[in-house]
Amino acid sequence: MKKFFTAVEEQSASPSPEKAQEIQTLMNQAYSKIDKSVKRGVLHRNTGSRRKARLAQALKKLETPAVS
């Protein structure tokens, strides 16, 4: 998750199509790891859902322009 959030911060500082593709790949990897952890009982399913929601929220915040 930390790699994803770091990549999102870098993308917001200097947007590029390559970075956007990397962010999508990192998000997919994070979702996969969270799902596996929930499946094996390492994380509770609500914890997994909360973490995935945080990832999606960060990505959505990056995509939508700030309204002043």
Side-chain angles (χ1 to χ4, degrees), residues 3-19:
K3 288 181 186 180
F4 175 79
F5 287 121
T6 304
V8 168
E9 288 176 9
E10 290 174 3
Q11 175 70 4
S12 65
S14 60
S16 70
E18 296 84 20
K19 189 56 95 170

Side-chain angles (χ1 to χ4, degrees), residues 27-58:
M27 186 169 188
N28 291 339
Q29 290 174 354
Y31 269 36
S32 178
K33 287 185 184 243
I34 290 169
D35 288 338
K36 284 181 184 179
S37 297
V38 170
K39 180 180 174 185
R40 295 182 182 174
V42 176
L43 293 177
H44 190 272
R45 63 184 175 174
N46 291 348
T47 304
S49 294
R50 185 181 69 241
R51 289 184 180 185
K52 287 171 32 176
R54 282 186 63 208
L55 294 173
Q57 183 181 22

